[in-house]
Amino acid sequence: MDSRYFGELSVIGMKGTDKFVESVDWYLRQWRKEDEKETYLMQADCIRFGTGEAKGIIKESVRGHDMFLYVDCFNYGATYKMYGQTVPMSPDEHFQDLKRIIYAAAGKARRINVIMPMLYEGRQHKRSARESLDCAEALHELTNAGVTNIITFDAHDGRVQNAIPHSGFDSVRTSYQMLKALAREYPDIKFDSDKLMIISPDEGGMSRAMYYSSVLGLELGMFYKRRNYTIVIDGRNPIEAHEFLGHSVEGRDVIIVDDMISSGESAVDVAMKLKERGANRIFVFATFGLFVNGTSVFDKAYEDGIITRVFTTNLNYRTTDIIDSRWYAEVNMCKYVAYLIDTINKDESISELLDPVQRIHKLVDRVRDQKD
């Protein structure tokens, strides 16, 4: 084994992530041709019994390996058979399978790293009543099982890492890749304060929007959600209205920044309010596009001229209906994940990968130079 590496590299893609990890593996092989390896992917599986019970199996030796497990806990396209019925996998089942593969390593791996793009139970990160703290408990389970590093993307609230202060936890920004995709799709975009504005759809997402605003030198606006706390629908208090705080958006292009799109109704409602205030083109940046109720909300918003484009990453599962939609743009993160794996395996700092300020500035300068 090359002395530059912490341990022999092995990548395991959990169920439903085959296409993504195969692309990651391609990049790794291009960069490490001297290794002469056919693949860095390791064969592993979670076999299901007829009752739905399962066991994890790793089909190769992992002794001394630096293992990277990639899991998409929100891949409802992954299914299994239970009592003769085809059942979609829930986040709970994906997380349980992840633990099974970790247990199958039986402590023989030199280091275990988990790449979990959308953090399991990430929205259940704090306690506001007599309720469970699922995200913190999940992180404890992983570290107690022997996981050294946990890598996620745009965590709903990064402070959840305080639950495991003695273990590695990194929340990676996707801002550079988002802006790069925007510039590629819309070469006429202008990163000027009088032409473009950043919007946070709620108070919880202000830190993400502030990052874009600060790095790009753009003005920032925010909507806050006025909720009806007297009733509960689908486990939460319904939103009665979105109220806006900020300067005029009239005539400006607007980027709405969020960590995820669930049903999409909130993002579309915010976009409609911005259009009423005279906004020009409206772009939505969301790391994870879940679209739990399908695409009809965005189909209509696009047809009505409310939303110009929705950018989400390929870090989580999306159906072909979503990918092929006229309003949708995919932000490919395979190369970035490969960079993270390659750097960590060399036991080098990933600080520059975590903070893309310099790359964003170079991108903006390049876009401006092309227009001059």
Side-chain angles (χ1 to χ4, degrees):
M1 186 190 72
D2 195 317
S3 60
R4 293 177 299 164
Y5 304 139
F6 184 84
E8 186 172 344
L9 176 61
S10 293
V11 179
I12 295 177
M14 300 300 295
K15 192 164 185 177
T17 66
D18 297 8
K19 185 178 178 181
F20 190 96
V21 295
E22 284 170 7
S23 183
V24 169
D25 180 57
W26 183 86
Y27 283 111
L28 291 170
R29 285 187 284 109
Q30 298 308 303
W31 301 336
R32 300 181 173 204
K33 288 183 178 178
E34 70 277 4
D35 289 358
E36 298 182 347
K37 290 202 65 167
E38 293 183 4
T39 181
Y40 291 98
L41 299 181
M42 178 169 281
Q43 296 299 310
D45 196 10
C46 284
I47 298 172
R48 295 274 170 179
F49 302 104
T51 58
E53 298 169 289
K55 65 177 180 180
I57 298 177
I58 300 176
K59 301 176 182 179
E60 306 170 43
S61 172
V62 298
R63 188 179 296 277
H65 284 223
D66 197 8
M67 292 176 60
F68 289 80
L69 279 63
Y70 184 90
V71 58
D72 176 11
C73 287
F74 299 85
N75 189 334
Y76 59 94
T79 61
Y80 65 94
K81 288 280 189 179
M82 184 172 71
Y83 292 98
Q85 301 178 62
T86 300
V87 182
M89 289 183 68
S90 71
D92 292 345
E93 289 162 321
H94 281 292
F95 186 70
Q96 195 67 23
D97 276 2
L98 171 65
K99 292 191 293 181
R100 289 184 174 111
I101 295 300
I102 294 170
Y103 298 151
K108 301 299 191 297
R110 193 171 181 189
R111 183 168 62 182
I112 297 177
N113 311 270
V114 169
I115 301 177
M116 185 185 293
M118 185 171 172
L119 198 59
Y120 172 72
E121 292 290 358
R123 285 180 283 182
Q124 191 54 27
H125 63 285
K126 62 182 179 181
R127 178 177 285 147
S128 57
R130 287 187 294 275
E131 56 189 18
S132 56
L133 279 171
D134 298 71
C135 191
E137 187 59 42
L139 295 178
H140 281 159
E141 288 185 43
L142 292 178
T143 54
N144 290 339
V147 173
T148 305
N149 298 310
I150 298 171
I151 300 167
T152 191
F153 288 78
D154 287 327
H156 192 67
D157 190 332
R159 289 174 296 183
V160 73
Q161 66 183 292
N162 294 335
I164 49 169
H166 302 297
S167 300
F169 181 100
D170 291 296
S171 179
V172 184
R173 298 182 188 274
T174 60
S175 45
Y176 171 69
Q177 286 77 15
M178 287 286 187
L179 292 167
K180 187 177 179 181
L182 174 65
R184 183 177 60 247
E185 293 280 335
Y186 295 90
D188 63 330
I189 195 73
K190 291 181 172 64
F191 294 103
D192 300 322
S193 59
D194 60 337
K195 300 292 185 181
L196 185 63
M197 190 168 175
I198 304 296
I199 300 293
S200 175
D202 54 41
E203 58 274 25
M206 274 297 286
S207 61
R208 281 181 291 274
M210 286 171 63
Y211 181 83
Y212 279 93
S213 173
S214 300
V215 173
L216 295 172
L218 302 177
E219 287 191 14
L220 174 65
M222 184 197 81
F223 283 85
Y224 66 91
K225 298 173 181 176
R226 182 154 50 83
R227 296 181 179 272
N228 185 344
Y229 288 97
T230 62
I231 57 176
V232 177
I233 299 176
D234 294 333
R236 56 175 50 195
N237 306 107
I239 299 169
E240 289 190 333
H242 287 93
E243 306 291 349
F244 182 67
L245 297 173
H247 292 109
S248 173
V249 299
E250 188 170 357
R252 293 175 171 175
D253 290 335
V254 168
I255 300 175
I256 301 173
V257 179
D258 211 347
D259 60 332
M260 73 178 77
I261 294 173
S262 184
S263 68
E265 292 178 357
S266 180
V268 170
D269 189 31
V270 165
M272 290 175 66
K273 298 284 193 238
L274 291 169
K275 273 295 181 184
E276 290 171 3
R277 287 170 167 78
N280 188 22
R281 294 178 296 185
I282 297 179
F283 306 105
V284 179
F285 283 5
T287 306
F288 307 107
L290 304 178
F291 304 101
V292 296
N293 294 331
T295 64
S296 58
V297 171
F298 284 98
D299 290 338
K300 187 175 187 311
Y302 178 78
E303 290 169 5
D304 293 344
I306 304 298
I307 284 178
T308 303
R309 202 76 158 174
V310 176
F311 294 83
T312 80
T313 70
N314 63 338
L315 290 168
N316 69 285
Y317 173 76
R318 293 136 301 120
T319 63
T320 53
D321 289 343
I322 296 168
I323 296 171
D324 294 338
S325 294
R326 291 176 297 167
W327 45 263
Y328 181 76
E330 178 181 273
V331 180
N332 194 321
M333 298 294 294
C334 295
K335 188 175 183 179
Y336 194 28
V337 169
Y339 273 133
L340 289 166
I341 291 174
D342 184 59
T343 305
I344 293 171
N345 182 228
K346 293 174 181 174
D347 220 23
E348 296 176 350
S349 171
I350 61 172
S351 296
E352 290 186 7
L353 292 173
L354 296 179
D355 188 5
V357 172
Q358 296 302 321
R359 281 176 292 154
I360 291 174
H361 285 167
K362 288 179 181 178
L363 171 65
V364 171
D365 290 341
R366 189 163 63 247
V367 170
R368 286 173 177 161
D369 289 343
Q370 290 172 352
K371 293 180 173 62
D372 292 341

